[in-house]
Amino acid sequence: MNDFLIFHWLKEVNHWGKTPEGGISRLAFSQEDKGARKYVIDLMEEYGMEVRIDEAANIIGKYAGTEPDLPAVVIGSHLDSVPSGGKYDGVLGVLSGLEVVRHLAQNNIRGRHSLEVIVFSNEEGCRYPYTLFGSSVMMGDFHKPWEEIKNMQDEQGIKLVQEIKELGGKPEKLFLARRNPEQIKAFLELHIEQGLVLEDKGVSIGIVEGISAPIRFVLKLMGSADHAGATPMVLRRDPLMGASEIMLALERIVKETSVTAVGTVGQINVSPGAVNIIPGTVTLSFDIRDIDLAARNQIVRNLEKVIREVCQTRDLKYDFQEIFNISPVMLDTQMISLIEQVCQEMEIPAIKMISGAAHDAMVMANHVPTGMIFVPSVAGISHNPSEYTRNEDIMKGVEVLGQTVLRLIK
Ligand code: HGY
Ligand code: MN
Ligand code: MN
């Protein structure tokens, strides 16, 4: 590959959701997401791909092979971002797939197997809490009840089902989006590492061996709102002080339990939320991850114990709801060896590693042979406007992806 359009495409797609501080806010199914999706669909059509939207509003572009009945090789990732996120998370994987298709099309190369590029809907799960939504629906791993789905709305009261319909999906028929794993020969995702490992080692390519997995909760602590001046400390039932103890306990438990575990409280809401009122209710989110499932379970058990004890001592009520749970996954050894072989033949240094971030690839890996290619994140920064990956690393990533695909579509 000697010319790359991906840098131009990145700039164009990232007009959608550009923020004043130079980051990207392209929440799932938002106007910004719609604009980016349209740009990608136009590119797919420009390079002769058949494009369809499934019931979960996933975009599936197909570059037909010479034997259409053979299982497809699939490249996929996402276009939606976190609020005030970066320019590469997800979108780099989609555009890398398109760059590979462009090279095949412009050199009249067609494998026996078709090559698909998929944009999975709502990977991040920030606006609507169904993380890895599109890939989970596609592989039959989405099991929320219709009663919940049809009422799911964002903070502005916009319903999920309405947004999916607007993008051409059929939320009431999500089950029709399910694909037979035998239709997919292999799945590949190129993604930024979002951590510091590749940067620290000065290596351009990471070959992912396993993906650490999040379990997420919402904890609601209920005390009694009271006058900040007239209520003696001993009479208070202050849920925010309780939350503070629990958050620090989370950090301690995670550090004590597993070196590969992480725990985050990313959201906290205090009500009524006035300077002179002792909080009545506090709601906070938990995101706990590990590649070691037993250790993650241990952390959750210990956290629940602390929540019970703190609420007993402070006379608080609580509600602790699990909102997302996926297990850690190891990727296909043959796919790992194939990518390793490609890197060796191309004399591109590569290391094998674990992904700390979650990806659609972790859903796919439970159903089809899956491989992931990482490129470095400068300073390990991601989910942040300063997210940056060097062009030369992107080019290497796309070339490794392209060579891996050439072997798979034969
Ligand atoms: O949360 C994650 O790991 C990913 O960014 N969805
Ligand atoms: Mn992300
Ligand atoms: Mn991502």
Side-chain angles (χ1 to χ4, degrees):
M1 290 172 155
N2 39 32
D3 69 314
F4 290 85
L5 290 186
I6 191 168
F7 304 111
H8 167 65
W9 296 340
L10 257 178
K11 235 187 255 132
E12 293 302 305
V13 171
N14 281 332
H15 284 311
W16 296 99
K18 198 157 70 181
T19 60
E21 65 274 11
I24 298 290
S25 280
R26 192 166 52 228
L27 300 188
F29 312 117
S30 62
Q31 289 310 317
E32 297 78 13
D33 191 22
K34 287 170 187 152
R37 289 164 62 99
K38 169 94 179 58
Y39 183 81
V40 165
I41 289 171
D42 291 349
L43 281 180
M44 288 178 166
E45 288 169 346
E46 185 180 339
Y47 295 108
M49 298 176 90
E50 296 152 39
V51 182
R52 70 182 178 90
I53 309 288
D54 75 5
E55 288 73 8
N58 294 311
I59 303 170
I60 299 145
K62 182 164 84 175
Y63 180 74
T66 54
E67 298 180 36
D69 296 341
L70 289 179
V73 174
V74 177
I75 295 171
S77 201
H78 60 98
L79 287 175
D80 66 302
S81 80
V82 294
S84 191
K87 302 185 187 66
Y88 301 87
D89 179 359
V91 57
L92 190 66
V94 170
L95 297 180
S96 300
L98 285 178
E99 190 71 296
V100 171
V101 168
R102 179 175 77 90
H103 280 269
L104 295 178
Q106 289 183 343
N107 294 289
N108 279 321
I109 301 168
R110 259 183 214 280
R112 292 190 307 127
H113 296 263
S114 298
L115 173 61
E116 291 180 5
V117 176
I118 297 181
V119 177
F120 291 114
S121 55
N122 193 23
E123 187 271 351
E124 295 289 1
C126 292
R127 183 182 175 200
Y128 298 102
Y130 296 149
T131 304
L132 306 176
F133 174 71
S135 49
S136 302
V137 170
M138 185 177 280
M139 300 320 288
D141 291 345
F142 182 76
H143 304 298
K144 296 292 182 185
W146 172 243
E147 267 313 299
E148 180 189 296
I149 300 167
K150 75 177 170 114
N151 296 315
M152 181 57 72
Q153 54 187 6
D154 70 357
E155 285 166 4
Q156 281 67 44
I158 302 172
K159 290 213 164 172
L160 169 65
V161 290
Q162 177 199 326
E163 295 290 58
I164 293 176
K165 277 187 199 144
E166 261 194 45
L167 285 173
K170 293 190 184 68
E172 70 286 356
K173 296 202 164 61
L174 291 176
F175 57 91
L176 292 177
R178 182 161 187 179
R179 291 187 69 172
N180 175 348
E182 277 151 37
Q183 283 176 345
I184 298 174
K185 177 182 178 186
F187 177 80
L188 282 164
E189 183 168 8
L190 182 147
H191 204 286
I192 52 173
E193 177 202 335
Q194 301 180 292
L196 254 179
V197 172
L198 292 174
E199 271 292 279
D200 273 354
K201 296 187 184 310
V203 172
S204 299
I205 299 290
I207 303 172
V208 178
E209 290 185 294
I211 306 177
S212 179
I215 184 168
R216 292 179 181 158
F217 300 92
V218 171
L219 171 64
K220 189 173 178 183
L221 296 170
M222 294 153 274
S224 65
D226 239 323
H227 196 291
T231 314
M233 295 307 279
V234 288
L235 297 183
R236 296 182 177 207
R237 295 176 54 230
D238 183 343
L240 187 53
M241 293 305 167
S244 317
E245 281 187 280
I246 291 166
M247 289 190 284
L248 287 173
L250 170 76
E251 187 182 49
R252 173 179 52 77
I253 293 166
V254 167
K255 286 180 176 173
E256 282 169 358
T257 311
S258 161
V259 285
T260 50
V262 287
T264 311
V265 174
Q267 292 166 308
I268 186 163
N269 183 287
V270 180
S271 154
V275 65
N276 57 355
I277 308 175
I278 303 165
T281 306
V282 170
T283 309
L284 51 160
S285 67
F286 290 94
D287 175 310
I288 300 164
R289 309 192 188 201
D290 204 339
I291 189 72
D292 174 346
L293 186 58
R296 196 185 79 177
N297 293 340
Q298 177 68 35
I299 291 166
V300 172
R301 278 195 299 276
N302 290 349
L303 176 68
E304 283 180 310
K305 186 164 165 290
V306 166
I307 292 169
R308 275 196 304 277
E309 288 161 359
V310 167
C311 288
Q312 212 153 21
T313 316
R314 291 178 175 272
D315 188 14
L316 302 173
K317 285 200 183 63
Y318 73 91
D319 178 46
F320 188 54
Q321 290 294 332
E322 180 185 297
I323 56 168
F324 180 72
N325 180 352
I326 188 168
S327 295
V329 67
M330 297 315 282
L331 298 190
D332 184 273
T333 47
Q334 286 183 322
M335 291 295 283
I336 291 167
S337 318
L338 175 60
I339 300 167
E340 210 174 5
Q341 200 188 337
V342 165
C343 291
Q344 277 156 8
E345 286 168 18
M346 298 176 78
E347 294 177 353
I348 296 178
I351 55 167
K352 290 192 264 191
M353 60 190 291
I354 295 292
S355 170
H359 301 286
D360 291 306
M362 72 196 300
V363 173
M364 303 306 285
N366 287 314
H367 302 275
V368 300
T370 294
M372 260 204 107
I373 298 164
F374 270 176
V375 289
S377 294
V378 170
I381 296 172
S382 180
H383 281 189
N384 177 312
S386 324
E387 184 180 279
Y388 177 64
T389 296
R390 296 180 196 87
N391 286 3
E392 55 269 30
D393 290 330
I394 291 173
M395 288 192 274
K396 283 180 192 159
V398 172
E399 295 201 298
V400 169
L401 178 68
Q403 288 302 323
T404 306
V405 164
L406 277 174
R407 287 159 173 72
L408 287 167
I409 60 175
K410 266 187 196 152

